[in-house]
Amino acid sequence: MASALSNLSEYNEDNVPSAEKMAFGIVVAEWNRHITKALLDGCVQTLLRHGATEDNLRIAQVPGSFELTAGATVLGTELRLDAIICLGCVIKGETNHDEYINHAVATGLTQLGIQTGKPHIFGLLTVLNEQQALDRAGGRHGNKGVEAAVTAIRMVALKYALRHDLRKIGF
Ligand code: RBF
């Protein structure tokens, strides 16, 4: 169950580093478009609110969530991107398709993060029904696109801090 502490949508804006010099790739799945559009809007608005510019955002649409890792691989060839954010929504149906897709995306993004050294953010809703998705795409559990954006900014800031040998990182 989500709690106030774990719901990053209610984050403290002052604790988020500036994204002014950061460049982000966003891969968004078209399946369940009414949900993924809300995730994308929340994500982009959050990046811009924290200083990112539209010039530094690259957005790619892919058919379904299974294609998120392939989309991330394509965007990853743009070396200037500091992080790739992947957004999708898989809703459980009568079969086990959701488990295969969700595991494939989780494993794929983990591997890409390790291989490239760039943060690959898991913004995939893995829900049991549409209501759970609506709750997490601007509803009572916040917007996971917002949280994905904040996570991306913080992970890029972590890399910048290490590069500049700062002694205190985050918090
Ligand atoms: N893609 C999603 O992003 N969300 C879904 O809920 C979803 N459900 C699917 C259900 C089935 C039975 C299949 C075969 C595909 C589904 N997909 C879904 C599409 C999947 O991510 C991918 O685009 C296709 O399987 C083509 O590789």
Side-chain angles (χ1 to χ4, degrees):
M1 194 170 113
S3 71
L5 282 177
S6 64
N7 186 347
L8 279 178
S9 294
E10 294 168 17
Y11 66 99
N12 180 353
E13 298 214 357
D14 297 337
N15 287 342
V16 179
S18 167
E20 199 184 330
K21 296 200 168 77
M22 300 177 182
F24 299 94
I26 304 173
V27 191
V28 57
E30 289 171 7
W31 260 75
N32 301 312
R33 184 194 292 266
H34 60 302
I35 302 290
T36 60
K37 175 77 170 60
L39 297 177
L40 178 64
D41 289 346
C43 181
V44 169
Q45 283 163 19
T46 303
L47 294 173
L48 296 178
R49 186 162 61 246
H50 289 288
T53 61
E54 298 216 0
D55 280 349
N56 280 340
L57 302 185
R58 194 86 151 83
I59 301 173
Q61 288 192 343
V62 293
S65 295
F66 187 77
E67 283 72 42
L68 285 172
T69 45
T73 305
V74 172
L75 275 193
T77 58
E78 273 205 44
L79 296 178
R80 71 186 187 95
L81 298 179
D82 292 300
I84 313 279
I85 301 167
C86 295
L87 304 172
C89 172
V90 176
I91 301 178
K92 180 142 193 68
E94 290 182 3
T95 63
N96 289 336
H97 70 275
D98 58 312
E99 293 177 21
Y100 290 96
I101 298 172
N102 296 340
H103 279 294
V105 176
T107 308
L109 295 186
T110 303
Q111 283 176 351
L112 283 175
I114 294 167
Q115 281 165 14
T116 64
K118 280 184 194 180
H120 281 67
I121 309 302
F122 184 88
L124 177 65
L125 299 183
T126 59
V127 292
L128 300 179
N129 53 53
E130 186 185 9
Q131 187 58 52
Q132 287 187 347
L134 291 167
D135 289 344
R136 290 158 179 80
R140 66 195 183 102
H141 290 312
N143 184 324
K144 299 301 170 188
V146 171
E147 299 181 27
V150 172
T151 303
I153 294 170
R154 288 185 53 188
M155 291 306 293
V156 175
L158 179 65
K159 279 192 77 175
Y160 281 8
L162 286 173
R163 206 177 288 160
H164 295 101
D165 195 26
L166 298 183
R167 294 290 158 204
K168 183 167 177 287
I169 300 170
F171 306 104

